Amino acid sequence: TTLPPSPSHDAPVELARLLSEAESKYEARLSDLRSKIRSLEKERNESEEEWAKNLAERGKEIERLKRLMAEKETEFLRKAKGWEESESRIGALERSLNELKVEREELMKEKQVLETEVSVLRDAEAALKEDKLEATTRSAVMEKQLEDLKSREAQLKSSVKTLREELRKVQSSAALLERQRNPGVGYWAANGSASGSSSRIVGTPSSERGSILHGSAPSSPTPPAEVAPPGGRGSTGSDQSGTEEAVNLEYLRNVILQFLENEKMRPDLVRVLSIILRFTPQETRRLLAKESPKEIFSAQTPDVVANVAACRISGIMITLAMTLLPIVERCDNFSLENTKDRLVAFHLSEDSTVPIGFLYPSVVQLLLDYNSAVNHWKPNVHQDAAVNEPPFVITSSKVSFSSSITTFEDRTALCKHLCEQWRDASLFPDVIGGRLWRDELYPIYPIAMKDITIEGAAFVMERVCCALFGLVTYGVHMTLYTEDGRIWVPRRAKTKQTWPGLLDNSVAGGIPFGLKPMESLIKECMEEASLPEEIAKNATTVGCASYFYQTRKGWLQPEVEYVYDLCVPPPEAGSQFIPKPLDGEVESFELMTVEEVIEHMRSEEFKPNCAIVYHAVPVLLDFLIRHGHITPENEPNYIEILTRIHARFEFERYPNGINISSE
């Protein structure tokens, strides 16, 4: 290497040295690099060998995986085929499940229908059992009455026989004394010829026979023959009949004489005379009615006296052979406290504490069905979540309107839709079916007997449906009576939907929505009795009667009646206040004594709720009590009767129903 010239002698040397050092360094570095290259080549070779080995292993692994994948693919295909078969089976099972669901729904509907039929059959069975029990009870009572009548008949026959024997003795003694005192003169004189006696008695003028029958001697008595016993010997047929007639007339004559002379024997002798002269029961009662209560009681045996009560109305005596309580019980025949039935409380709202009615489980089940039906009634308001909720809130102990149904209009529309559905489906045919449907709306109030105004009604319902819900209904009843104490009694038309052909109150009817009690009474007076407003408005408000009636089918009808009196002159005085049928609901009117009314009530000829106004049960009995004719002295059950014809229903005691299980 040629070095540049240096300015000094030492410069080349230094440069050579530096070059030498640089070459040494580069050589050393090159040596290191060659060493590293050799090392890297070695590592590369080793790596290549290792990679070749790994690649061989990976190739083997890939082959194994390929074989495994082929196996898995085969297995997957097999499983996919199995899945397809499973999906096919699942589809078939789902179709079967859907068919079973449809079949289940049909079976559930059939079950509901069968449950309804079972409920109806149970109600019918219960009604039949009640009818059977009632018939058995009445049969037992009638058998007992028959036995009593047979016993009394035997006693009367014995008494008559004894009286005849005693009278014959008195007769013979009187005839003997008469002949001794004044032989040949007078009715008791001997004639010696039976036939002559017969002819003279038979030939006695009718006026004289009439005077004999009425207890006075004829103006010119004809002496009869000596009396022979009936069927005595020594007389022909005609003589025998004449003698028997003479005996009967003499017997009658002595009975009448004793009747006139001995006041204490009069009640017994009236019965004897009624047998001899064949009085009608009305004639016998009319004669007995002339006696004072003291005389009537003194003439009875102790067991009869214990059960007899006497009442005077306008001077007429009424003899009550038993307490009037059984007649009240026919009408006020249900108690929430004593019932064994399971009843669910019916409320206006969920937070209500006083029920408005009570429901049987069969009705609650139908309300559940109505809730789940797609066509149940819905309020016509803005669409929100509440509108689509079921119309009734139903638990095991309570039923109420839902929170979306809170107005008079909504409750009324819902009840109308529900009841018409039941009617059209022929449910409860014995209550709302056919001609029983009246198209007449009754007001329902939040609390019975409180705030009873047109504005206070919570809703209205078809009148015949109220019994299905145990709702309280209201009516008017008027007793039309004459100044002499008789009562005008109508007989219901045989075409009436309820109680056809039975006796009723003078004027009676339910109070439809929109009318006040007096307005309803004026309407009923014209419709049922042809009494115009100028007469009807003179009726006097005298109070209310209330009672809890259960029909023979078991439905509940708590009722409240506004009671009115109207006193009019008797028809004999030319009265213009004579009721006459007008609208076909009444067949005829009859003017009855109170005694006759009682007889008809005892024979169950009055419809159940009207007997309340007619004497025994609520209104006429209330009438007699108010007029002072039924008293604690002549009615042993006076307090109970008075309480039961003014009943409080006490719905507030049972907010959670009655006989509800705690499960």
Side-chain angles (χ1 to χ4, degrees), residues 433-502:
R435 294 193 308 117
L436 295 175
W437 191 273
R438 305 291 289 274
D439 283 322
E440 187 174 351
L441 298 177
Y442 272 7
I444 308 302
Y445 299 95
I447 300 179
M449 303 185 187
K450 290 186 179 180
D451 192 20
I452 309 302
T453 62
I454 296 175
E455 298 77 14
F459 61 98
V460 295
M461 179 180 282
E462 160 63 31
R463 63 177 291 176
V464 297
C465 298
C466 293
L468 299 176
F469 296 84
L471 301 170
V472 180
T473 59
Y474 301 82
V476 290
H477 288 251
M478 184 183 78
T479 303
L480 183 67
Y481 67 102
T482 61
E483 295 168 350
D484 58 3
R486 291 176 293 170
I487 300 172
W488 284 105
V489 179
R491 185 173 295 277
R492 294 167 67 84
K494 294 182 176 61
T495 56
K496 284 283 288 181
Q497 294 98 324
T498 55
W499 315 109
L502 295 186

Side-chain angles (χ1 to χ4, degrees), residues 162-179 188 250-251 253-255 257-258 261 265:
T162 303
L163 282 171
R164 283 181 175 173
E165 291 175 355
E166 293 297 326
L167 285 171
R168 286 196 189 97
K169 293 177 183 178
V170 172
Q171 212 173 346
S172 300
S173 300
L176 180 59
L177 289 172
E178 185 70 20
R179 286 197 300 273
W188 294 97
E250 290 173 20
Y251 173 60
R253 180 176 183 274
N254 280 278
V255 169
L257 285 172
Q258 290 199 35
E261 292 172 355
M265 293 184 65

Side-chain angles (χ1 to χ4, degrees), residues 345-605:
F346 183 31
H347 290 261
L348 276 180
S349 61
E350 290 185 78
D351 57 355
S352 167
T353 59
V354 180
I356 58 174
F358 291 91
L359 311 174
Y360 282 104
S362 59
V363 177
V364 176
Q365 181 59 50
L366 289 175
L367 292 178
L368 284 168
D369 296 342
Y370 184 78
N371 266 359
S372 60
V374 295
N375 62 338
H376 69 69
W377 185 87
K378 300 178 182 66
N380 186 21
V381 295
H382 61 279
Q383 296 297 319
D384 56 18
V387 174
N388 296 319
E389 68 179 351
F392 294 101
V393 178
I394 302 175
T395 67
S396 60
S397 61
K398 293 174 62 174
V399 172
S400 65
F401 293 103
S402 70
S403 59
S404 62
I405 300 174
T406 57
T407 65
F408 173 93
E409 293 77 12
D410 285 350
R411 296 190 195 104
T412 298
L414 169 60
C415 292
K416 179 177 184 296
H417 185 266
L418 170 68
C419 294
E420 288 180 351
Q421 268 201 5
W422 287 355
R423 178 199 62 189
D424 297 340
S426 298
L427 296 173
F428 311 112
D430 57 326
V431 182
I432 62 176
R435 294 193 308 117
L436 295 175
W437 191 273
R438 305 291 289 274
D439 283 322
E440 187 174 351
L441 298 177
Y442 272 7
I444 308 302
Y445 299 95
I447 300 179
M449 303 185 187
K450 290 186 179 180
D451 192 20
I452 309 302
T453 62
I454 296 175
E455 298 77 14
F459 61 98
V460 295
M461 179 180 282
E462 160 63 31
R463 63 177 291 176
V464 297
C465 298
C466 293
L468 299 176
F469 296 84
L471 301 170
V472 180
T473 59
Y474 301 82
V476 290
H477 288 251
M478 184 183 78
T479 303
L480 183 67
Y481 67 102
T482 61
E483 295 168 350
D484 58 3
R486 291 176 293 170
I487 300 172
W488 284 105
V489 179
R491 185 173 295 277
R492 294 167 67 84
K494 294 182 176 61
T495 56
K496 284 283 288 181
Q497 294 98 324
T498 55
W499 315 109
L502 295 186
L503 300 176
D504 204 343
N505 294 337
S506 303
V507 173
I511 302 177
F513 178 68
L515 291 183
K516 297 179 180 179
M518 178 56 78
E519 294 171 342
S520 296
L521 180 67
I522 291 173
K523 178 179 76 75
E524 296 294 338
C525 281
M526 175 53 70
E527 291 178 356
E528 294 187 358
S530 303
L531 295 175
E533 181 178 352
E534 54 267 23
I535 294 177
K537 67 182 181 182
N538 293 316
T540 304
T541 305
V542 292
C544 287
S546 53
Y547 52 94
F548 211 136
Y549 179 63
Q550 184 179 36
T551 69
R552 292 190 177 184
K553 299 293 185 180
W555 301 110
L556 305 181
Q557 292 184 199
E559 298 186 2
V560 178
E561 311 293 350
Y562 292 88
V563 181
Y564 297 83
D565 284 354
L566 181 58
C567 182
V568 297
E572 295 84 358
S575 171
Q576 300 300 313
F577 302 91
I578 299 177
K580 298 175 183 177
L582 179 64
D583 63 357
E585 292 193 4
V586 171
E587 184 177 281
S588 61
F589 281 89
E590 181 180 351
L591 192 57
M592 294 185 184
T593 63
V594 175
E595 187 178 21
E596 290 172 331
V597 171
I598 295 173
E599 285 185 11
H600 288 303
M601 283 195 300
R602 291 196 191 282
S603 60
E604 300 186 22
E605 291 185 60

Side-chain angles (χ1 to χ4, degrees), residues 65-82:
L65 289 174
K66 284 180 179 180
R67 290 193 302 270
L68 184 61
M69 285 183 65
E71 292 174 359
K72 294 294 183 183
E73 186 176 359
T74 303
E75 185 179 356
F76 175 77
L77 292 174
R78 187 177 69 254
K79 287 184 177 180
K81 186 177 181 180

Side-chain angles (χ1 to χ4, degrees), residues 593-637:
T593 63
V594 175
E595 187 178 21
E596 290 172 331
V597 171
I598 295 173
E599 285 185 11
H600 288 303
M601 283 195 300
R602 291 196 191 282
S603 60
E604 300 186 22
E605 291 185 60
F606 278 93
K607 72 172 182 141
N609 69 328
C610 75
I612 289 201
V613 171
Y614 278 88
H615 182 61
V617 233
V619 189
L620 183 49
L621 192 145
D622 177 75
F623 175 88
L624 293 177
I625 291 175
R626 286 187 287 100
H627 287 258
H629 305 301
I630 300 297
T631 66
E633 285 71 27
N634 56 36
E635 172 52 66
N637 293 303

Side-chain angles (χ1 to χ4, degrees), residues 323-336:
T323 176
L324 297 169
L325 183 59
I327 305 177
V328 181
E329 290 172 339
R330 293 176 199 161
C331 182
D332 184 49
N333 61 357
F334 184 81
S335 167
L336 291 174

